[in-house]
Amino acid sequence: MRMRGKLGFAIWALFLWGTAVARFVVEKNSLRVTSPDSLKDVYECAIGNFGIPQYGGSMMGIVLYPKANGKACKSFEEFGISFESKAGGFPTFLLVDRGDCYFTLKAWNAQNAGAAAVLVADDRIEHLITMNLPGEENSHAEYLPNITIPSALITKALGDSFRNALSNGEMVSVNLDWRESLPHPDGRVEYEFWTSSNNECGPKCDSQIEFVKNFKGVAQILEQKGYMRFTPHYITWYCPEAFTLSKQCKSQCINHGRYCAPDPEQDFSRGYNGKDVVIQNLRQVCVFKVANGSGKPWLWWDYVTDFSIRCPMKQEKYTKECADKVILSLGLDLQRIDTCIGDPDTDEENPILKAEQDAQIGKDSQGDVTILPTLVINNRQYRGKLDKSAVLKAICAGFQETTEPAVCFSEDIETNECLENNGGCWQDKAANVTACKDTFRGRVCECPVVEGVKFVGDGYTHCQASGSGRCEINNGGCWKKTSEGRTYSACMDDESKECKCPPGFRGDGANTCEDIDECKARLSCQCPDCKCKNTWGSHECSCRGDLLYIKDHDTCVGNKAATGISWSFAWILMLALASAAVGGYAVYKYRIRRYMDSEIRAIMAQYMPLDNQAENPNNAQHSVI
Ligand SMILES: *[C@@H]1O[C@H](CO)[C@@H](O)[C@H](O)[C@H]1NC(C)=O
Ligand SMILES: *[C@@H]1O[C@H](CO)[C@@H](O)[C@H](O)[C@H]1NC(C)=O
Ligand SMILES: *[C@@H]1O[C@H](CO)[C@@H](O)[C@H](O)[C@H]1NC(C)=O
């Protein structure tokens, strides 16, 4: 709602500073048509001032036009129509015609019927306009804060083309894109909030203070960390010179008609006057200036919240006394704030309010500030619902990519696109690992990093743990089994990404590894005197009688010196150790002969825990460690 219109109740007019006709800027996003071929192109559309535009993101959808309720002024329920997209289907962007009812009602009806966005086709040939909220007199529309789908106004020409294509049975698919709707040049976002200290103007004032309360936490933290720079602003009007000495001007203005605000109750005879609002607004600017001067600009948020709670107009506490208490409780320098406010009765400019009036006139692409409240992010006016997560999403889109603070990826502003069908991304339900990441830019399918282990893959159909530590997570997606007190794994904890069955098993390594029956497969233990016994993951080989099995030769040898079974196995171990240590075949051969020497054997035996090793001689064939 435009303040200028609102002031019509007054007998005379207060004027917005500077311009006779305010220059309002239509904020836009782009709409790319991907089918049909005849319409393929990028078009501009205007962001509606309600719902939640997906600043920084984009959305793909199929356009549908409801012939029966083309203007969407009636609930689609009456027609038994639903635009809910089916699983795996694209969301529906409902095309509706302008006219007959509020834009917001069209959006609300579309949203209730399951549409993901609403495209309003203009009904006249003109430049794109911003679809706004109904004025205060229609604030009975309780659904307004509940509109969450984005809305865009498209030109009459594009609307006609869409309808033609649809009536020819063509599929119209489009991509709504808000990625360039806000400049995002660097790692810090500058934003302004144009508001008023007036806390008695119905839903409009309530929604402003609600927003300040909800946004305060994140605003303060991000300001302290240097991610954002915030400046509050206040609109003032001026009284035409001919009326500066009139009773009305005196009650609504300070500094001899230079700075005015409309009467809060729109009734000059009772309650607070416009003048009181101007002074409180000026005090809020000064609180910010003084707080900023002492390096704590974020105290403005505390002051404004506390002031609205402690000094409401309703309780007749909208006074300097009450304001001063709040200022002192925040540890701010009252003297400096009073100096900043100056004398409201002098016939001179107030430098602070003069600067506010100058700022009202938009620079460059910003446009004039004519709506209260107005949020300006990186010099562009924000369009959409004044709601913490919607605004945060827009602010996040104002950071150069990859410089966004962590809060931009928090649950607060996620799109919940991962909840349905895992956003179409890869996931491993068993290990509770997903590639779907919810961000303010919409969902992305990206192989995750879980507990320091990086997953690699396309993010859509496959992701696989890689690098060291990968076997820690769901065994790297590989086969693993424990049986007979032993555990075998097909995951190799190295740079490889593959699963490989351990020796003694065969299979794909991912889902199955089967024990190889080495005895049946005649892989070893084949000498005439050998006795082969398959075990899980391995096999045992022994020799008949007193013979000693030499594994590396797969043979049984005479063992005159052996005094018992444990001695033979001690030998095997010695041989294995020796061969590993020396490595050379010749040396190895030499060692066999040498070790046959019973004297040495006896000496070696003193150093080795022979009995333990003997219990499970075949373990040496496969490492389970
Ligand atoms: C809007 O949402 C609020 C809270 O979710 C709910 O209580 C209210 O009934 C909704 N209003 C409408 C008109 O749907
Ligand atoms: C706030 O302080 C910073 C430096 O401390 C200064 O650059 C900035 O202009 C100040 N902002 C206002 C609105 O006074
Ligand atoms: C899966 O992980 C998420 C967070 O990583 C956790 O919130 C959720 O409870 C886990 N689910 C299961 C079934 O373990």
Side-chain angles (χ1 to χ4, degrees), residues 207-246:
S207 80
Q208 284 179 60
I209 194 63
E210 267 315 293
F211 169 70
V212 170
K213 281 180 190 165
N214 290 334
F215 202 67
K216 183 178 127 180
V218 75
Q220 292 182 321
I221 289 171
L222 293 185
E223 182 100 22
Q224 285 164 19
K225 291 191 174 163
Y227 282 111
M228 313 208 284
R229 169 159 299 174
F230 171 71
T231 319
H233 281 301
Y234 297 84
I235 292 183
T236 56
W237 289 261
Y238 70 94
C239 214
E241 209 155 332
F243 301 101
T244 47
L245 296 177
S246 69

mmCIF file of all heavy atoms in Angstrom, residues 207-246:
data_model
loop_
_atom_site.group_PDB
_atom_site.id
_atom_site.type_symbol
_atom_site.label_atom_id
_atom_site.label_comp_id
_atom_site.label_asym_id
_atom_site.label_seq_id
_atom_site.Cartn_x
_atom_site.Cartn_y
_atom_site.Cartn_z
ATOM 1 N N SER A 207 3.047 -6.711 11.805
ATOM 2 C CA SER A 207 3.925 -7.572 11.015
ATOM 3 C C SER A 207 5.358 -7.020 11.008
ATOM 4 O O SER A 207 6.317 -7.780 10.979
ATOM 5 C CB SER A 207 3.384 -7.746 9.604
ATOM 6 O OG SER A 207 3.697 -6.618 8.814
ATOM 7 N N GLN A 208 5.501 -5.702 11.060
ATOM 8 C CA GLN A 208 6.852 -5.124 11.093
ATOM 9 C C GLN A 208 7.569 -5.488 12.380
ATOM 10 O O GLN A 208 8.722 -5.905 12.373
ATOM 11 C CB GLN A 208 6.794 -3.597 10.992
ATOM 12 C CG GLN A 208 6.518 -3.107 9.599
ATOM 13 C CD GLN A 208 6.442 -1.590 9.561
ATOM 14 O OE1 GLN A 208 7.395 -0.916 9.894
ATOM 15 N NE2 GLN A 208 5.300 -1.078 9.154
ATOM 16 N N ILE A 209 6.870 -5.330 13.491
ATOM 17 C CA ILE A 209 7.537 -5.591 14.765
ATOM 18 C C ILE A 209 7.764 -7.102 14.951
ATOM 19 O O ILE A 209 8.785 -7.527 15.495
ATOM 20 C CB ILE A 209 6.781 -4.940 15.954
ATOM 21 C CG1 ILE A 209 7.663 -4.934 17.193
ATOM 22 C CG2 ILE A 209 5.455 -5.571 16.243
ATOM 23 C CD1 ILE A 209 8.930 -4.106 17.054
ATOM 24 N N GLU A 210 6.837 -7.895 14.417
ATOM 25 C CA GLU A 210 7.025 -9.347 14.464
ATOM 26 C C GLU A 210 8.307 -9.719 13.720
ATOM 27 O O GLU A 210 9.106 -10.538 14.167
ATOM 28 C CB GLU A 210 5.844 -10.069 13.802
ATOM 29 C CG GLU A 210 4.737 -10.473 14.742
ATOM 30 C CD GLU A 210 5.235 -11.120 16.021
ATOM 31 O OE1 GLU A 210 5.785 -12.233 15.941
ATOM 32 O OE2 GLU A 210 5.084 -10.515 17.102
ATOM 33 N N PHE A 211 8.478 -9.094 12.558
ATOM 34 C CA PHE A 211 9.655 -9.384 11.759
ATOM 35 C C PHE A 211 10.927 -8.981 12.511
ATOM 36 O O PHE A 211 11.892 -9.746 12.561
ATOM 37 C CB PHE A 211 9.578 -8.655 10.411
ATOM 38 C CG PHE A 211 10.875 -8.690 9.662
ATOM 39 C CD1 PHE A 211 11.341 -9.877 9.113
ATOM 40 C CD2 PHE A 211 11.653 -7.549 9.531
ATOM 41 C CE1 PHE A 211 12.557 -9.919 8.448
ATOM 42 C CE2 PHE A 211 12.863 -7.585 8.869
ATOM 43 C CZ PHE A 211 13.317 -8.776 8.324
ATOM 44 N N VAL A 212 10.915 -7.792 13.124
ATOM 45 C CA VAL A 212 12.102 -7.334 13.851
ATOM 46 C C VAL A 212 12.425 -8.311 14.985
ATOM 47 O O VAL A 212 13.578 -8.701 15.175
ATOM 48 C CB VAL A 212 11.900 -5.900 14.393
ATOM 49 C CG1 VAL A 212 13.013 -5.527 15.353
ATOM 50 C CG2 VAL A 212 11.855 -4.915 13.237
ATOM 51 N N LYS A 213 11.391 -8.743 15.692
ATOM 52 C CA LYS A 213 11.619 -9.688 16.795
ATOM 53 C C LYS A 213 12.201 -11.013 16.291
ATOM 54 O O LYS A 213 13.121 -11.567 16.879
ATOM 55 C CB LYS A 213 10.299 -9.972 17.527
ATOM 56 C CG LYS A 213 9.898 -8.879 18.489
ATOM 57 C CD LYS A 213 8.579 -9.225 19.175
ATOM 58 C CE LYS A 213 8.062 -8.039 19.949
ATOM 59 N NZ LYS A 213 6.643 -8.213 20.336
ATOM 60 N N ASN A 214 11.631 -11.515 15.206
ATOM 61 C CA ASN A 214 12.076 -12.816 14.705
ATOM 62 C C ASN A 214 13.441 -12.761 14.045
ATOM 63 O O ASN A 214 14.196 -13.724 14.074
ATOM 64 C CB ASN A 214 11.074 -13.366 13.681
ATOM 65 C CG ASN A 214 9.776 -13.766 14.322
ATOM 66 O OD1 ASN A 214 9.752 -14.101 15.511
ATOM 67 N ND2 ASN A 214 8.696 -13.724 13.573
ATOM 68 N N PHE A 215 13.734 -11.632 13.431
ATOM 69 C CA PHE A 215 14.960 -11.555 12.648
ATOM 70 C C PHE A 215 16.150 -11.086 13.474
ATOM 71 O O PHE A 215 17.304 -11.239 13.067
ATOM 72 C CB PHE A 215 14.746 -10.623 11.445
ATOM 73 C CG PHE A 215 15.713 -10.866 10.327
ATOM 74 C CD1 PHE A 215 15.687 -12.045 9.613
ATOM 75 C CD2 PHE A 215 16.667 -9.927 9.991
ATOM 76 C CE1 PHE A 215 16.584 -12.294 8.592
ATOM 77 C CE2 PHE A 215 17.574 -10.159 8.969
ATOM 78 C CZ PHE A 215 17.529 -11.348 8.271
ATOM 79 N N LYS A 216 15.840 -10.519 14.628
ATOM 80 C CA LYS A 216 16.855 -9.915 15.493
ATOM 81 C C LYS A 216 18.080 -10.813 15.723
ATOM 82 O O LYS A 216 19.222 -10.393 15.522
ATOM 83 C CB LYS A 216 16.173 -9.582 16.827
ATOM 84 C CG LYS A 216 17.044 -8.885 17.812
ATOM 85 C CD LYS A 216 16.236 -8.561 19.074
ATOM 86 C CE LYS A 216 16.979 -9.107 20.222
ATOM 87 N NZ LYS A 216 16.553 -8.994 21.525
ATOM 88 N N GLY A 217 17.821 -12.060 16.118
ATOM 89 C CA GLY A 217 18.922 -12.964 16.461
ATOM 90 C C GLY A 217 19.912 -13.126 15.320
ATOM 91 O O GLY A 217 21.110 -12.891 15.474
ATOM 92 N N VAL A 218 19.384 -13.477 14.166
ATOM 93 C CA VAL A 218 20.262 -13.734 13.032
ATOM 94 C C VAL A 218 20.912 -12.432 12.553
ATOM 95 O O VAL A 218 22.093 -12.396 12.196
ATOM 96 C CB VAL A 218 19.493 -14.495 11.914
ATOM 97 C CG1 VAL A 218 18.560 -13.609 11.157
ATOM 98 C CG2 VAL A 218 20.451 -15.162 10.966
ATOM 99 N N ALA A 219 20.165 -11.334 12.616
ATOM 100 C CA ALA A 219 20.702 -10.034 12.187
ATOM 101 C C ALA A 219 21.896 -9.643 13.055
ATOM 102 O O ALA A 219 22.921 -9.183 12.548
ATOM 103 C CB ALA A 219 19.622 -8.966 12.276
ATOM 104 N N GLN A 220 21.766 -9.842 14.342
ATOM 105 C CA GLN A 220 22.827 -9.429 15.252
ATOM 106 C C GLN A 220 24.076 -10.284 15.083
ATOM 107 O O GLN A 220 25.193 -9.777 15.024
ATOM 108 C CB GLN A 220 22.314 -9.494 16.694
ATOM 109 C CG GLN A 220 21.254 -8.434 16.960
ATOM 110 C CD GLN A 220 20.759 -8.424 18.392
ATOM 111 O OE1 GLN A 220 20.583 -9.475 18.997
ATOM 112 N NE2 GLN A 220 20.521 -7.245 18.931
ATOM 113 N N ILE A 221 23.871 -11.588 14.974
ATOM 114 C CA ILE A 221 25.034 -12.476 14.848
ATOM 115 C C ILE A 221 25.793 -12.202 13.555
ATOM 116 O O ILE A 221 27.010 -12.074 13.533
ATOM 117 C CB ILE A 221 24.589 -13.959 14.924
ATOM 118 C CG1 ILE A 221 24.160 -14.270 16.352
ATOM 119 C CG2 ILE A 221 25.711 -14.884 14.492
ATOM 120 C CD1 ILE A 221 23.500 -15.612 16.514
ATOM 121 N N LEU A 222 25.040 -12.070 12.456
ATOM 122 C CA LEU A 222 25.707 -11.884 11.171
ATOM 123 C C LEU A 222 26.367 -10.508 11.062
ATOM 124 O O LEU A 222 27.374 -10.347 10.376
ATOM 125 C CB LEU A 222 24.738 -12.130 10.018
ATOM 126 C CG LEU A 222 24.270 -13.585 9.900
ATOM 127 C CD1 LEU A 222 23.410 -13.783 8.685
ATOM 128 C CD2 LEU A 222 25.451 -14.547 9.862
ATOM 129 N N GLU A 223 25.794 -9.527 11.758
ATOM 130 C CA GLU A 223 26.412 -8.195 11.772
ATOM 131 C C GLU A 223 27.726 -8.264 12.565
ATOM 132 O O GLU A 223 28.757 -7.740 12.153
ATOM 133 C CB GLU A 223 25.453 -7.188 12.418
ATOM 134 C CG GLU A 223 25.979 -5.767 12.445
ATOM 135 C CD GLU A 223 25.424 -4.877 11.339
ATOM 136 O OE1 GLU A 223 24.347 -5.180 10.802
ATOM 137 O OE2 GLU A 223 26.098 -3.884 11.015
ATOM 138 N N GLN A 224 27.676 -8.953 13.679
ATOM 139 C CA GLN A 224 28.875 -9.070 14.521
ATOM 140 C C GLN A 224 29.990 -9.809 13.805
ATOM 141 O O GLN A 224 31.162 -9.519 13.991
ATOM 142 C CB GLN A 224 28.533 -9.796 15.831
ATOM 143 C CG GLN A 224 27.771 -8.919 16.812
ATOM 144 C CD GLN A 224 27.091 -9.707 17.921
ATOM 145 O OE1 GLN A 224 27.447 -10.852 18.189
ATOM 146 N NE2 GLN A 224 26.108 -9.101 18.548
ATOM 147 N N LYS A 225 29.601 -10.783 12.984
ATOM 148 C CA LYS A 225 30.621 -11.556 12.278
ATOM 149 C C LYS A 225 31.052 -10.894 10.978
ATOM 150 O O LYS A 225 31.863 -11.439 10.233
ATOM 151 C CB LYS A 225 30.093 -12.963 11.992
ATOM 152 C CG LYS A 225 29.933 -13.777 13.263
ATOM 153 C CD LYS A 225 29.670 -15.229 12.953
ATOM 154 C CE LYS A 225 29.652 -16.051 14.228
ATOM 155 N NZ LYS A 225 29.027 -17.359 14.024
ATOM 156 N N GLY A 226 30.465 -9.735 10.691
ATOM 157 C CA GLY A 226 30.892 -8.992 9.514
ATOM 158 C C GLY A 226 30.267 -9.460 8.208
ATOM 159 O O GLY A 226 30.687 -9.043 7.134
ATOM 160 N N TYR A 227 29.257 -10.319 8.277
ATOM 161 C CA TYR A 227 28.619 -10.793 7.056
ATOM 162 C C TYR A 227 27.629 -9.776 6.493
ATOM 163 O O TYR A 227 27.345 -9.770 5.304
ATOM 164 C CB TYR A 227 27.868 -12.102 7.313
ATOM 165 C CG TYR A 227 28.753 -13.315 7.375
ATOM 166 C CD1 TYR A 227 28.955 -13.998 8.564
ATOM 167 C CD2 TYR A 227 29.372 -13.793 6.226
ATOM 168 C CE1 TYR A 227 29.762 -15.119 8.621
ATOM 169 C CE2 TYR A 227 30.178 -14.918 6.267
ATOM 170 C CZ TYR A 227 30.374 -15.580 7.474
ATOM 171 O OH TYR A 227 31.166 -16.689 7.520
ATOM 172 N N MET A 228 27.049 -8.983 7.395
ATOM 173 C CA MET A 228 26.016 -8.074 6.928
ATOM 174 C C MET A 228 26.247 -6.692 7.512
ATOM 175 O O MET A 228 26.812 -6.544 8.597
ATOM 176 C CB MET A 228 24.636 -8.557 7.377
ATOM 177 C CG MET A 228 24.373 -10.009 7.141
ATOM 178 S SD MET A 228 22.649 -10.406 6.917
ATOM 179 C CE MET A 228 21.995 -10.336 8.559
ATOM 180 N N ARG A 229 25.818 -5.682 6.769
ATOM 181 C CA ARG A 229 25.780 -4.342 7.338
ATOM 182 C C ARG A 229 24.369 -3.803 7.195
ATOM 183 O O ARG A 229 23.830 -3.730 6.097
ATOM 184 C CB ARG A 229 26.768 -3.413 6.650
ATOM 185 C CG ARG A 229 26.486 -1.987 7.110
ATOM 186 C CD ARG A 229 27.613 -1.050 6.942
ATOM 187 N NE ARG A 229 28.803 -1.409 7.685
ATOM 188 C CZ ARG A 229 29.935 -0.715 7.536
ATOM 189 N NH1 ARG A 229 29.989 0.282 6.698
ATOM 190 N NH2 ARG A 229 30.987 -1.046 8.230
ATOM 191 N N PHE A 230 23.806 -3.480 8.342
ATOM 192 C CA PHE A 230 22.415 -3.075 8.375
ATOM 193 C C PHE A 230 22.292 -1.589 8.677
ATOM 194 O O PHE A 230 23.050 -1.040 9.470
ATOM 195 C CB PHE A 230 21.684 -3.878 9.456
ATOM 196 C CG PHE A 230 20.296 -3.392 9.735
ATOM 197 C CD1 PHE A 230 19.287 -3.581 8.804
ATOM 198 C CD2 PHE A 230 19.996 -2.729 10.921
ATOM 199 C CE1 PHE A 230 18.010 -3.115 9.046
ATOM 200 C CE2 PHE A 230 18.717 -2.268 11.166
ATOM 201 C CZ PHE A 230 17.725 -2.460 10.230
ATOM 202 N N THR A 231 21.343 -0.937 8.026
ATOM 203 C CA THR A 231 21.011 0.453 8.356
ATOM 204 C C THR A 231 19.490 0.579 8.431
ATOM 205 O O THR A 231 18.801 0.209 7.469
ATOM 206 C CB THR A 231 21.511 1.425 7.264
ATOM 207 O OG1 THR A 231 22.800 1.005 6.834
ATOM 208 C CG2 THR A 231 21.587 2.833 7.796
ATOM 209 N N PRO A 232 18.965 1.062 9.547
ATOM 210 C CA PRO A 232 17.519 1.302 9.610
ATOM 211 C C PRO A 232 17.197 2.663 9.001
ATOM 212 O O PRO A 232 18.041 3.569 9.013
ATOM 213 C CB PRO A 232 17.249 1.312 11.117
ATOM 214 C CG PRO A 232 18.521 1.791 11.725
ATOM 215 C CD PRO A 232 19.642 1.376 10.821
ATOM 216 N N HIS A 233 15.999 2.797 8.452
ATOM 217 C CA HIS A 233 15.586 4.074 7.872
ATOM 218 C C HIS A 233 14.144 4.361 8.210
ATOM 219 O O HIS A 233 13.353 3.443 8.468
ATOM 220 C CB HIS A 233 15.749 4.040 6.349
ATOM 221 C CG HIS A 233 17.153 4.247 5.892
ATOM 222 N ND1 HIS A 233 17.878 5.366 6.175
ATOM 223 C CD2 HIS A 233 17.973 3.446 5.158
ATOM 224 C CE1 HIS A 233 19.081 5.264 5.633
ATOM 225 N NE2 HIS A 233 19.165 4.098 5.019
ATOM 226 N N TYR A 234 13.822 5.637 8.184
ATOM 227 C CA TYR A 234 12.466 6.068 8.516
ATOM 228 C C TYR A 234 12.006 7.079 7.487
ATOM 229 O O TYR A 234 12.747 7.998 7.133
ATOM 230 C CB TYR A 234 12.452 6.669 9.928
ATOM 231 C CG TYR A 234 12.826 5.644 10.970
ATOM 232 C CD1 TYR A 234 14.161 5.364 11.258
ATOM 233 C CD2 TYR A 234 11.842 4.907 11.624
ATOM 234 C CE1 TYR A 234 14.513 4.390 12.173
ATOM 235 C CE2 TYR A 234 12.185 3.931 12.551
ATOM 236 C CZ TYR A 234 13.524 3.673 12.825
ATOM 237 O OH TYR A 234 13.858 2.699 13.729
ATOM 238 N N ILE A 235 10.781 6.903 7.026
ATOM 239 C CA ILE A 235 10.216 7.839 6.055
ATOM 240 C C ILE A 235 9.615 9.030 6.808
ATOM 241 O O ILE A 235 8.943 8.837 7.825
ATOM 242 C CB ILE A 235 9.112 7.162 5.212
ATOM 243 C CG1 ILE A 235 9.715 6.082 4.301
ATOM 244 C CG2 ILE A 235 8.365 8.191 4.368
ATOM 245 C CD1 ILE A 235 8.703 5.417 3.388
ATOM 246 N N THR A 236 9.847 10.218 6.314
ATOM 247 C CA THR A 236 9.099 11.371 6.825
ATOM 248 C C THR A 236 8.522 12.125 5.632
ATOM 249 O O THR A 236 8.984 11.969 4.500
ATOM 250 C CB THR A 236 9.987 12.347 7.629
ATOM 251 O OG1 THR A 236 11.078 12.750 6.816
ATOM 252 C CG2 THR A 236 10.494 11.722 8.907
ATOM 253 N N TRP A 237 7.511 12.891 5.911
ATOM 254 C CA TRP A 237 6.876 13.717 4.888
ATOM 255 C C TRP A 237 7.114 15.167 5.245
ATOM 256 O O TRP A 237 7.638 15.463 6.321
ATOM 257 C CB TRP A 237 5.381 13.415 4.844
ATOM 258 C CG TRP A 237 5.076 12.076 4.273
ATOM 259 C CD1 TRP A 237 4.683 11.799 3.004
ATOM 260 C CD2 TRP A 237 5.117 10.819 4.956
ATOM 261 N NE1 TRP A 237 4.486 10.452 2.834
ATOM 262 C CE2 TRP A 237 4.753 9.823 4.028
ATOM 263 C CE3 TRP A 237 5.441 10.423 6.257
ATOM 264 C CZ2 TRP A 237 4.689 8.469 4.347
ATOM 265 C CZ3 TRP A 237 5.383 9.076 6.574
ATOM 266 C CH2 TRP A 237 5.015 8.117 5.616
ATOM 267 N N TYR A 238 6.729 16.088 4.364
ATOM 268 C CA TYR A 238 6.832 17.495 4.749
ATOM 269 C C TYR A 238 5.510 18.198 4.482
ATOM 270 O O TYR A 238 4.691 17.746 3.672
ATOM 271 C CB TYR A 238 7.992 18.189 4.034
ATOM 272 C CG TYR A 238 7.804 18.395 2.553
ATOM 273 C CD1 TYR A 238 7.281 19.598 2.068
ATOM 274 C CD2 TYR A 238 8.163 17.407 1.647
ATOM 275 C CE1 TYR A 238 7.105 19.794 0.708
ATOM 276 C CE2 TYR A 238 7.997 17.603 0.300
ATOM 277 C CZ TYR A 238 7.470 18.785 -0.172
ATOM 278 O OH TYR A 238 7.303 18.977 -1.514
ATOM 279 N N CYS A 239 5.339 19.273 5.185
ATOM 280 C CA CYS A 239 4.100 20.030 5.100
ATOM 281 C C CYS A 239 4.317 21.146 4.079
ATOM 282 O O CYS A 239 5.344 21.834 4.124
ATOM 283 C CB CYS A 239 3.827 20.640 6.479
ATOM 284 S SG CYS A 239 2.110 20.747 6.867
ATOM 285 N N PRO A 240 3.381 21.324 3.131
ATOM 286 C CA PRO A 240 3.561 22.437 2.192
ATOM 287 C C PRO A 240 3.671 23.758 2.961
ATOM 288 O O PRO A 240 3.008 23.935 3.988
ATOM 289 C CB PRO A 240 2.290 22.395 1.356
ATOM 290 C CG PRO A 240 1.739 21.035 1.541
ATOM 291 C CD PRO A 240 2.146 20.582 2.891
ATOM 292 N N GLU A 241 4.484 24.641 2.458
ATOM 293 C CA GLU A 241 4.853 25.850 3.193
ATOM 294 C C GLU A 241 3.649 26.673 3.653
ATOM 295 O O GLU A 241 3.632 27.199 4.766
ATOM 296 C CB GLU A 241 5.762 26.716 2.320
ATOM 297 C CG GLU A 241 6.704 27.548 3.157
ATOM 298 C CD GLU A 241 7.954 27.915 2.379
ATOM 299 O OE1 GLU A 241 8.345 27.144 1.474
ATOM 300 O OE2 GLU A 241 8.522 28.961 2.674
ATOM 301 N N ALA A 242 2.644 26.715 2.842
ATOM 302 C CA ALA A 242 1.471 27.521 3.162
ATOM 303 C C ALA A 242 0.785 27.067 4.448
ATOM 304 O O ALA A 242 0.052 27.823 5.077
ATOM 305 C CB ALA A 242 0.486 27.473 2.005
ATOM 306 N N PHE A 243 1.012 25.807 4.827
ATOM 307 C CA PHE A 243 0.309 25.277 5.998
ATOM 308 C C PHE A 243 1.178 25.121 7.235
ATOM 309 O O PHE A 243 0.712 24.633 8.249
ATOM 310 C CB PHE A 243 -0.296 23.902 5.668
ATOM 311 C CG PHE A 243 -1.252 23.928 4.530
ATOM 312 C CD1 PHE A 243 -0.866 23.500 3.266
ATOM 313 C CD2 PHE A 243 -2.558 24.373 4.713
ATOM 314 C CE1 PHE A 243 -1.750 23.514 2.200
ATOM 315 C CE2 PHE A 243 -3.448 24.390 3.653
ATOM 316 C CZ PHE A 243 -3.046 23.960 2.390
ATOM 317 N N THR A 244 2.454 25.510 7.136
ATOM 318 C CA THR A 244 3.364 25.170 8.240
ATOM 319 C C THR A 244 2.891 25.715 9.583
ATOM 320 O O THR A 244 3.213 25.151 10.612
ATOM 321 C CB THR A 244 4.802 25.691 7.994
ATOM 322 O OG1 THR A 244 4.715 27.036 7.563
ATOM 323 C CG2 THR A 244 5.541 24.849 6.990
ATOM 324 N N LEU A 245 2.110 26.794 9.587
ATOM 325 C CA LEU A 245 1.687 27.342 10.872
ATOM 326 C C LEU A 245 0.291 26.870 11.281
ATOM 327 O O LEU A 245 -0.217 27.243 12.333
ATOM 328 C CB LEU A 245 1.753 28.877 10.827
ATOM 329 C CG LEU A 245 3.177 29.417 10.646
ATOM 330 C CD1 LEU A 245 3.182 30.933 10.540
ATOM 331 C CD2 LEU A 245 4.083 28.965 11.783
ATOM 332 N N SER A 246 -0.302 26.005 10.451
ATOM 333 C CA SER A 246 -1.643 25.503 10.777
ATOM 334 C C SER A 246 -1.570 24.557 11.974
ATOM 335 O O SER A 246 -0.525 23.976 12.275
ATOM 336 C CB SER A 246 -2.237 24.767 9.576
ATOM 337 O OG SER A 246 -1.526 23.562 9.376
#
